């Protein structure tokens, strides 16, 4: 059957789906990556993302990409490792592939990650094996991760709906309906439903930039989160810089790292976090849903932790390395964000982190610090930047959380009340 015949025989729903998928591919390339003529693009994606990868690839070549290379992951083969792999093999990682990715990014390739994996894929598998394999992968991928966290190249993450993920999010729906519902949620959250998504993203970016400018002009020394189960003081790194929406990468290209995004974020001081905080949404991590997290910080380090569900997995995360118990990011998101108002728990960080203010354990984004040129890891650490093999976001904001900015004199300035912005910026 020819392409034209397929289009003629497609249902209205299928035609709408195809149009929206093409929009997502276009936005990923034009707004997300902003691919430069002659630039290579490296894509990582699950097998179910083939239709989206094809749309992205088409738009990337239209934008002038010199070569688009995609690496696909198959969840069944990933699962086979944990079901049948020998005990002594879980410290092995594909270092050769990590070196190749790193070389590609160093040569200037843009990075696009398409997410959509099954959050429950590894449920029931040996948590020690999962932890060992994760540490090994983090170790070999760290050079590439540093290029991304330093924002040296343009990069972007978007999502694809997959049957396994859809069934986790909408367990009471038949598979086809669950997939359709998840696609609708992705399209809405990614701001694709208007007449001109690229223009809509430009307006959204301008709003986020205004928030970031206000916070940068204010130069708060700390943020104070208060609410049910939370009284947390988060000191900010010396010379921190707030960011949100599109940003200029080190290669000079302006891109949107995350689609969707609703946050403004910066780098906390790794030694200046004190108090206690409770999660407001579950954290999905490597097949385990970690819920009702409660931790206490002293001098920037988690010294006490509890979780009603998944506590053993959380403990393993915190033991990844010394920096895993410290913060690498703090972000402000209004409770009225479209993702929050959808009422959907996506069990995917790309979406769930944009439903609530959040903190991230582990590696800091040094792009959110001023005047870092020529500074090594020790110099950045002295300014407060944390270092770790992990970067894991979890949500602490809600309609009951207040946030104050604390200035250099210790004066508290209301920033958010009941989860909403208290400033007019």
């Amino acid at each position: 059957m020819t392409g034209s015949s397929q289009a003629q025989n497609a249902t209205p729903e299928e035609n709408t789906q195809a149009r929206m998928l093409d929009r997502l591919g276009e936005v990923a390339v034009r707004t997300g990556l902003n691919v430069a003529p002659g630039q290579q693009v490296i894509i990582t994606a699950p097998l179910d993302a083939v239709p989206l990868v094809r749309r992205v690839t088409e738009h990337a070549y239209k934008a002038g990409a010199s070569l688009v290379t995609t690496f696909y992951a198959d969840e069944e083969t990933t699962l086979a490792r944990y079901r049948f792999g020998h005990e002594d093999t879980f410290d092995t990682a594909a270092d050769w592939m990590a070196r190749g990715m790193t070389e590609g990014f160093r040569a200037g390739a843009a990075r696009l990650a398409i997410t959509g994996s099954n959050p429950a894929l590894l449920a029931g598998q040996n948590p020690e094996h999962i932890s060992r394999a994760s540490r090994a992968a983090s170790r070999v991928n760290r050079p590439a991760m540093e290029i991304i966290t330093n924002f040296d190249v343009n990069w972007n993450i978007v999502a694809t709906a997959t049957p396994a993920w859809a069934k986790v999010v909408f367990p009471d729906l038949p598979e086809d309906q669950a997939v359709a519902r998840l696609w609708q949620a992705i399209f809405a959250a990614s701001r694709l439903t208007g007449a001109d998504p690229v223009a809509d993203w430009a307006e959204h970016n301008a709003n986020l930039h205004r928030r970031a400018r206000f916070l940068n002009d204010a130069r708060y020394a700390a943020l104070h989160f208060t609410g049910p189960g939370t009284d947390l003081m988060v000191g900010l790194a010396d010379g921190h810089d707030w960011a949100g929406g599109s940003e200029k990468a080190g290669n000079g290209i302006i891109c949107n790292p995350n689609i969707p995004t609703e946050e403004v974020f910066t780098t906390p001081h790794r030694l200046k976090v004190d108090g206690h905080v409770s999660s407001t949404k579950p954290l999905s991590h490597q097949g385990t849903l970690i819920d009702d997290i409660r931790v206490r910080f002293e001098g920037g380090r988690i010294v006490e932790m509890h979780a009603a569900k998944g506590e053993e997995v959380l403990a393993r995360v915190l033991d990844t390395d010394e920096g895993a118990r410290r913060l690498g990011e703090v972000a402000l998101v209004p409770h009225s964000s479209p993702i929050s108002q959808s009422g959907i728990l996506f069990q995917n960080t790309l979406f769930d982190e944009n439903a609530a203010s959040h903190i991230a354990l582990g590696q800091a984004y040094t792009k959110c610090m001023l005047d870092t040129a020529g500074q090594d890891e020790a110099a950045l650490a002295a300014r407060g930047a944390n270092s770790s093999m992990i970067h894991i976001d979890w949500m602490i904001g809600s309609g009951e959380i207040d946030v104050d900015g604390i200035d250099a004199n210790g004066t508290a300035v209301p920033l958010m009340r009941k989860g909403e912005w208290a400033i007019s910026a």
Side-chain angles (χ1 to χ4, degrees), residues 295-311:
V295 303
R296 183 168 62 87
F297 287 87
E298 285 184 3
R301 188 174 186 272
I302 292 177
V303 295
E304 185 180 345
M305 74 89 187
H306 304 281
K309 183 179 180 182
E311 184 172 296

Side-chain angles (χ1 to χ4, degrees), residues 223-237:
L223 301 178
H224 188 200
F225 293 82
T226 55
T230 292
D231 186 350
L232 185 70
M233 187 71 73
V234 179
L236 302 180

Side-chain angles (χ1 to χ4, degrees), residues 21-65:
L21 197 65
D22 188 69
R23 282 188 168 195
L24 181 55
E26 180 182 15
V27 166
V29 170
R30 293 181 57 189
T31 300
L33 292 179
N34 191 16
V35 174
Q39 188 176 32
Q40 290 196 41
V41 178
I42 298 174
I43 302 174
T44 56
L47 284 178
D48 287 309
V50 169
L52 177 57
V53 169
R54 289 173 177 167
R55 300 283 71 74
V56 168
T57 301
E58 177 181 320
H59 284 287
Y61 282 127
K62 287 179 178 178

Side-chain angles (χ1 to χ4, degrees), residues 22-272:
D22 188 69
R23 282 188 168 195
L24 181 55
E26 180 182 15
V27 166
V29 170
R30 293 181 57 189
T31 300
L33 292 179
N34 191 16
V35 174
Q39 188 176 32
Q40 290 196 41
V41 178
I42 298 174
I43 302 174
T44 56
L47 284 178
D48 287 309
V50 169
L52 177 57
V53 169
R54 289 173 177 167
R55 300 283 71 74
V56 168
T57 301
E58 177 181 320
H59 284 287
Y61 282 127
K62 287 179 178 178
S66 60
L67 182 65
V68 179
T69 304
T70 303
F71 295 88
Y72 288 100
D74 173 34
E75 292 190 339
E76 288 301 314
T77 56
T78 298
L79 184 60
R81 181 185 190 189
Y82 295 99
R83 293 181 62 196
F84 307 116
H86 292 196
E87 177 66 31
D88 60 352
T89 64
F90 292 99
D91 300 307
T92 304
D95 53 350
W96 56 270
M97 184 173 178
R99 288 194 299 270
M101 289 280 196
T102 303
E103 290 175 6
F105 298 146
R106 285 176 178 164
R111 178 243 193 178
L112 176 69
I114 298 179
T115 183
S117 60
N118 177 5
L121 177 68
L122 301 182
Q125 301 306 309
N126 187 322
E128 175 62 24
H129 292 170
I130 296 171
S131 180
R132 285 167 56 192
S134 178
R135 284 196 299 268
S138 295
R139 185 175 59 253
V140 301
N141 286 315
R142 185 161 186 176
M145 180 182 177
E146 288 178 344
I147 293 172
I148 300 304
T149 58
N150 291 341
F151 214 43
D152 292 335
V153 298
N154 47 322
W155 59 276
N156 174 243
I157 305 175
V158 295
T160 188
T162 62
W165 180 23
K167 285 297 293 178
V168 170
V169 178
F170 303 109
D172 298 327
L173 295 179
E175 182 177 288
D176 59 339
Q177 294 180 29
V179 171
R181 179 81 182 277
L182 183 55
W183 268 125
Q184 290 172 0
I186 290 172
F187 294 149
S190 302
R191 298 177 180 268
L192 303 178
T193 58
D196 187 344
V198 172
D200 290 343
W201 268 98
E203 180 180 358
H204 182 50
N205 281 326
N207 292 332
L208 293 173
H209 292 164
R210 280 194 294 271
R211 297 287 185 198
R213 278 196 301 272
F214 173 89
L215 293 167
N216 282 325
D217 290 343
R219 304 310 306 166
Y220 295 117
L223 301 178
H224 188 200
F225 293 82
T226 55
T230 292
D231 186 350
L232 185 70
M233 187 71 73
V234 179
L236 302 180
D238 300 341
H240 66 276
D241 189 46
W242 286 90
S246 59
E247 298 288 337
K248 182 182 288 188
N251 58 5
I253 297 174
I254 296 174
C255 66
N256 264 88
N258 290 352
I259 291 179
T261 185
E262 303 291 335
E263 63 177 336
V264 288
F265 59 98
T266 194
T267 301
H269 198 294
R270 66 188 187 92
L271 303 179
K272 297 181 180 180

